[in-house]
Amino acid sequence: MQPFVGVILAGGQSSRFGTAKAFATRNEIPFYQYSITALTPFCSSILVVAQSQWCSRFQRREQSLHIIEDHPDFKGDGPLAGIYSVMETVEGEWYMVVPIDDPFIRSSVFQCLKEEVDLQIDGIVPVVAGKIQPLIAMYHHSVKGKILAELSQGQRSLKNFLNKINVKYIEMDDPVPFININRPEDFKRK
């Protein structure tokens, strides 16, 4: 069992952005590469969960990158399905999660979360300016069965799921690593 497994969630439609956000660039670096860079100091395995239409494009760009699709029973069922799919693929103690559309993410965020690891908790989730950040977080392998139960009942909300597990919330002051890009104009304002 690996101590930390990286999970890059790239399953969205990018409908508001207009093109695949994963391959958009900041300083000529694809968004997904920022996620890889943030996770690499901690994770021996990093998996990208992507829709089938993007898998071959990822493979062409990064032959060594481990790309998977959502578990067949939960295709397109959102971030919970993505996290569960990685848990089904690679056995780890903790799963470090980051979305594909955060080109400002830093390793320091995961260093802070890692320092809070405690066997009495199921998840470690940042809070920035009063807003929880469940897509940039860590989840213990013990939640896998709980995620499966949620998905099997048609429950897809990650925020609602947090109410059903033991979460340690960590206040973070710097909002920049949590900037999520949904539209091209969001990125231009940064």
Side-chain angles (χ1 to χ4, degrees):
M1 180 181 291
Q2 299 177 39
F4 300 100
V5 174
V7 179
I8 300 175
L9 299 171
Q13 297 286 335
S14 297
S15 55
R16 290 178 286 179
F17 196 75
T19 62
K21 286 190 274 187
F23 306 108
T25 60
R26 175 180 157 243
N27 299 329
E28 299 181 20
I29 299 170
F31 282 13
Y32 71 85
Q33 191 60 54
Y34 288 99
S35 299
I36 292 170
T37 300
L39 294 171
T40 296
F42 313 103
C43 304
S44 52
S45 292
I46 298 173
L47 288 80
V48 176
V49 186
Q51 293 185 8
S52 57
Q53 66 200 39
W54 305 124
C55 289
S56 61
R57 190 167 174 190
F58 271 115
Q59 290 296 353
R60 283 193 305 273
R61 290 170 161 252
E62 307 280 341
Q63 284 81 29
S64 63
L65 202 54
H66 192 163
I67 313 297
I68 67 169
E69 294 180 49
D70 281 337
H71 185 280
D73 293 341
F74 307 113
K75 276 197 179 295
D77 282 351
L80 270 179
I83 296 166
Y84 176 77
S85 300
V86 172
M87 290 178 165
E88 274 286 286
T89 305
V90 176
E91 195 172 296
E93 182 76 18
W94 286 92
Y95 294 84
M96 292 183 164
V97 178
V98 64
I100 202 75
D101 56 0
D102 185 349
F104 301 96
I105 190 64
R106 299 183 196 130
S107 292
S108 59
V109 170
F110 290 102
Q111 180 61 45
C112 290
L113 297 179
K114 182 178 177 254
E115 290 170 5
E116 300 296 330
V117 165
D118 179 339
L119 295 179
Q120 304 302 311
I121 56 175
D122 300 321
I124 306 168
V125 178
V127 178
V128 180
K131 185 175 178 188
I132 63 168
Q133 303 290 330
L135 292 179
I136 300 174
M138 289 176 52
Y139 298 98
H140 192 260
H141 72 92
S142 62
V143 302
K144 179 181 171 186
K146 295 173 183 176
I147 293 175
L148 176 59
E150 289 292 292
L151 293 170
S152 297
Q153 295 171 12
Q155 302 299 315
R156 299 173 51 183
S157 171
L158 184 51
K159 285 187 178 181
N160 288 343
F161 178 69
L162 295 181
N163 295 325
K164 299 176 182 181
I165 63 173
N166 187 15
V167 178
K168 186 172 193 176
Y169 293 98
I170 307 299
E171 291 284 340
M172 293 195 174
D173 296 328
D174 186 2
V176 173
F178 300 90
I179 294 172
N180 176 272
I181 304 298
N182 288 313
R183 297 171 186 83
E185 56 268 22
D186 294 341
F187 187 61
K188 291 172 186 169
R189 284 195 303 251
K190 306 304 175 215

